[in-house]
Amino acid sequence: MTNTKDMTEKKTSRILPIWLALTPLVLLMVMLVFTVRAFGDESLGGPSQIVMLAASAVCCVIGIWVGKVRWREFENHIAKSISQVSSAMVILLFIGALGGAWMVSGVVPMMIYYGLDVIHPSVFLVSTCVISAVVSVMTGSSWTTIATIGVALMGIGKAQGFDEGWIAGAIISGAYFGDKVSPLSDTTVLASSVCRVNLFAHIRFMMITTIPSFLIALSVFLVAGFSHTAIDNGHLAACQEAITGRFNISIWLLVVPVATVVMIAKRLPALVTMFASTLLGVVFALLFQAGIVAEIADGDLFRGAMRAVYGSTAIQTSNPMLDQLVATRGMEGMLSTVWLILCAMCFGATMTAGGMTAGITRLFIRFAHGRISTVGSTVATGLVLNNTVADQYMGILLSCNVFREIYDKNGLEPRLLSRATEDSVTVTSVLVPWNTCGMTQSTVLGVATLTYLPYCFFNILSPLMSIVVAATGFRCSRPAKGEHADPDVSHPVGQGHTTLT
């Protein structure tokens, strides 16, 4: 009797012509361009989801007619793909809840208030990038960093007159630097594990490309900050006055973010941390902002507290710009993103089941002969996977598994593979509008993916730096037995789950 798994692999391993494999992806990009032009900001409320499903249907048609793949295979891949991001979607809902609770409780307004005093506009962008990097290294999570301190920094930057693309770019550059090198990060653990490299050997090896990319990004943000036209200090004072006139600002509100950092440091599950942080935010909202909570639901504190978590709130202040900053959407505001993620996972699953992803990947493998071409093919494959399977975890798994034997055959360092994978997959996932990371950060920061993309200098430089360093040949070849510069590299780290990336 034929094994079911073998049948699946046989069905999905049929090689499609490259032009046919690329057809659904090209069609998706073209349809998304027309959709965004037609619907603008409303494109994420339904039109983009329909485009995703339409592109998925094209994958199914090609896979069934040309690839001879059975419909059951598409269903199985879709179910598996969605199950792999189910926890991420739940956490995304909790991020919406946490954002609402932290805003209504005055935690985020408090951060904005003190931030306007502490961070000078000239060094705001570089400070934002460094702060985001430090928090992300400590937490191991770019998602948590952006959803908490990132939102506050967004408010400070807007109050100081910076363009939202620059602010989001600085936040994301820092957050993904920390996400990439933190031993607490899921992607870091996953890449080292799949490539069979010691975790800390993997992190040390990544520093060769990561540090130069980050320093260049910081230099750009520093120059941009000093080139920023200073706004009238009276404007900042008016913003602070509007905050204190509406919120009860107290240093005690710092208890909420500090407690969150402690829970993350103790490596509590992401869902537990998010739930506890949201609950703590609600408690502090009732203690410090009871008037605002009651106002949300016409005097009913219980309903007001609930609405702050699940629904949209519009807190009126004396400053119109501040009104936009402190408005929240709660869990309700994340539903369109969850919907989009589901459709994106369908597209990625049908691309994989129909053989399109394999066809595109094989194109790059053909060029993987020398050191530079092998690393370049790995980087290119990672970028394509971020666009096709629309999930960084799947991108890391596929890249490492596809190229592991090739690196071994060419006598290249296994750490070179794990580094090239992180340089391409981990940091660029946030730059793809239909990738789970791109959709999430765009929703949390309230900035379109294509708006912040040109300013995510660290994320853009990382894959390029990976190829440049490979071209130098620095520590790329596998040392002779007994001459390894890193004795721990032969001992792979065990699989494990830490925090949500």
Side-chain angles (χ1 to χ4, degrees), residues 1-249:
M1 183 176 179
T2 306
N3 186 276
T4 304
K5 182 179 179 181
D6 294 337
M7 290 177 62
T8 301
E9 293 176 348
K10 182 178 179 181
K11 287 291 183 182
T12 57
S13 62
R14 182 180 295 272
I15 301 177
L16 296 177
I18 186 61
W19 67 269
L20 196 57
L22 285 171
T23 297
L25 184 60
V26 173
L27 181 62
L28 172 65
M29 293 180 177
V30 172
M31 288 192 295
L32 283 175
V33 169
F34 281 102
T35 300
V36 171
R37 286 185 177 180
F39 292 91
D41 294 338
E42 298 178 359
S43 60
L44 294 179
S48 294
Q49 287 86 333
I50 295 174
V51 168
M52 286 283 181
L53 294 178
S56 301
V58 173
C59 292
C60 293
V61 171
I62 294 175
I64 292 173
W65 283 5
V66 181
K68 306 303 180 184
V69 180
R70 293 178 299 180
W71 174 250
R72 173 60 65 181
E73 300 303 327
F74 288 104
E75 289 184 334
N76 291 340
H77 275 78
I78 290 173
K80 182 180 179 181
S81 180
I82 292 176
S83 68
Q84 289 172 335
V85 297
S86 57
S87 61
M89 289 189 291
V90 175
I91 289 178
L92 184 58
L93 292 175
F94 268 108
I95 287 176
L98 182 144
W102 279 32
M103 190 66 75
V104 173
S105 66
V107 171
V108 174
M110 178 266 298
M111 291 180 177
I112 296 175
Y113 179 84
Y114 290 117
L116 291 174
D117 278 335
V118 176
I119 306 178
H120 192 275
S122 297
V123 294
F124 169 75
L125 290 176
V126 70
S127 298
T128 292
C129 191
V130 171
I131 291 171
S132 298
V134 171
V135 174
S136 189
V137 169
M138 292 172 57
T139 62
S141 172
S142 57
W143 283 33
T144 303
T145 300
I146 294 172
T148 52
I149 191 67
V151 174
L153 290 169
M154 197 77 196
I156 296 171
K158 286 185 175 180
Q160 293 182 343
F162 284 94
D163 180 82
E164 62 180 12
W166 277 99
I167 307 169
I171 295 169
I172 290 171
S173 290
Y176 275 81
F177 165 83
D179 189 307
K180 184 183 176 187
V181 302
S182 174
L184 302 177
S185 170
D186 275 1
T187 53
T188 307
V189 173
L190 181 62
S192 60
S193 299
V194 178
C195 294
R196 302 171 185 174
V197 176
N198 175 271
L199 175 61
F200 291 100
H202 166 64
I203 292 174
R204 287 194 295 271
F205 203 69
M206 279 199 299
M207 292 300 180
I208 299 172
T209 58
T210 303
I211 295 299
S213 299
F214 192 60
L215 290 178
I216 294 173
L218 289 178
S219 300
V220 175
F221 289 129
L222 186 62
V223 172
F226 277 102
S227 302
H228 175 65
T229 304
I231 61 174
D232 183 12
N233 288 334
H235 172 77
L236 301 181
C239 186
Q240 289 180 309
E241 185 178 346
I243 292 174
T244 55
R246 197 69 174 88
F247 294 91
N248 180 18
I249 301 300

Side-chain angles (χ1 to χ4, degrees), residues 199-403:
L199 175 61
F200 291 100
H202 166 64
I203 292 174
R204 287 194 295 271
F205 203 69
M206 279 199 299
M207 292 300 180
I208 299 172
T209 58
T210 303
I211 295 299
S213 299
F214 192 60
L215 290 178
I216 294 173
L218 289 178
S219 300
V220 175
F221 289 129
L222 186 62
V223 172
F226 277 102
S227 302
H228 175 65
T229 304
I231 61 174
D232 183 12
N233 288 334
H235 172 77
L236 301 181
C239 186
Q240 289 180 309
E241 185 178 346
I243 292 174
T244 55
R246 197 69 174 88
F247 294 91
N248 180 18
I249 301 300
S250 170
I251 198 69
W252 287 105
L253 290 170
L254 279 173
V255 171
V256 180
V258 169
T260 302
V261 171
V262 170
M263 285 186 284
I264 293 172
K266 289 184 174 294
R267 303 181 69 177
L268 294 179
L271 285 174
V272 174
T273 300
M274 289 289 182
F275 176 79
S277 299
T278 301
L279 184 60
L280 196 58
V282 171
V283 171
F284 272 69
L286 293 172
L287 290 176
F288 289 89
Q289 321 296 342
I292 294 177
V293 176
E295 183 182 309
I296 292 174
D298 299 325
D300 190 324
L301 284 175
F302 176 74
R303 289 181 57 207
M306 290 287 285
R307 183 165 185 79
V309 171
Y310 78 81
S312 301
T313 62
I315 302 172
Q316 299 297 321
T317 70
S318 59
N319 189 312
M321 186 197 70
L322 186 62
D323 291 349
Q324 297 179 358
L325 293 179
V326 298
T328 68
R329 294 180 295 171
M331 299 175 78
E332 185 179 67
M334 297 296 175
L335 292 179
S336 292
T337 304
V338 171
W339 181 14
L340 193 58
I341 288 175
L342 287 172
C343 295
M345 289 300 99
C346 288
F347 174 71
T350 52
M351 282 284 289
T352 302
M356 292 80 180
T357 300
I360 297 172
T361 302
R362 285 190 180 94
L363 173 67
F364 296 111
I365 294 178
R366 294 175 186 173
F367 300 101
H369 301 297
R371 181 184 66 252
I372 301 175
S373 62
T374 300
V375 173
S377 297
T378 306
V379 170
T381 299
L383 296 175
V384 169
L385 289 173
N386 264 337
N387 281 273
T388 54
V389 299
D391 180 72
Q392 62 178 350
Y393 297 104
M394 288 300 297
I396 290 173
L397 285 168
L398 291 172
S399 291
C400 291
N401 286 324
V402 165
F403 283 93

Side-chain angles (χ1 to χ4, degrees), residues 419-498:
R419 184 179 73 191
T421 300
E422 287 241 64
D423 284 341
S424 58
V425 179
T426 300
V427 299
T428 63
S429 58
V430 71
L431 306 180
V432 181
W434 54 86
N435 190 286
T436 53
C437 292
M439 288 183 284
T440 298
Q441 309 315 345
S442 174
T443 302
V444 171
L445 294 176
V447 182
T449 308
L450 297 181
T451 299
Y452 65 64
L453 188 155
Y455 307 102
C456 296
F457 299 108
F458 171 73
N459 307 69
I460 295 171
L461 287 170
S462 289
L464 299 176
M465 189 65 67
S466 192
I467 298 174
V468 170
V469 172
T472 67
F474 181 66
R475 298 179 69 182
C476 292
S477 298
R478 186 193 296 271
K481 188 175 182 181
E483 298 180 3
H484 212 301
D486 215 329
D488 291 331
V489 78
S490 59
H491 303 289
V493 67
Q495 295 283 1
H497 181 80
T498 51

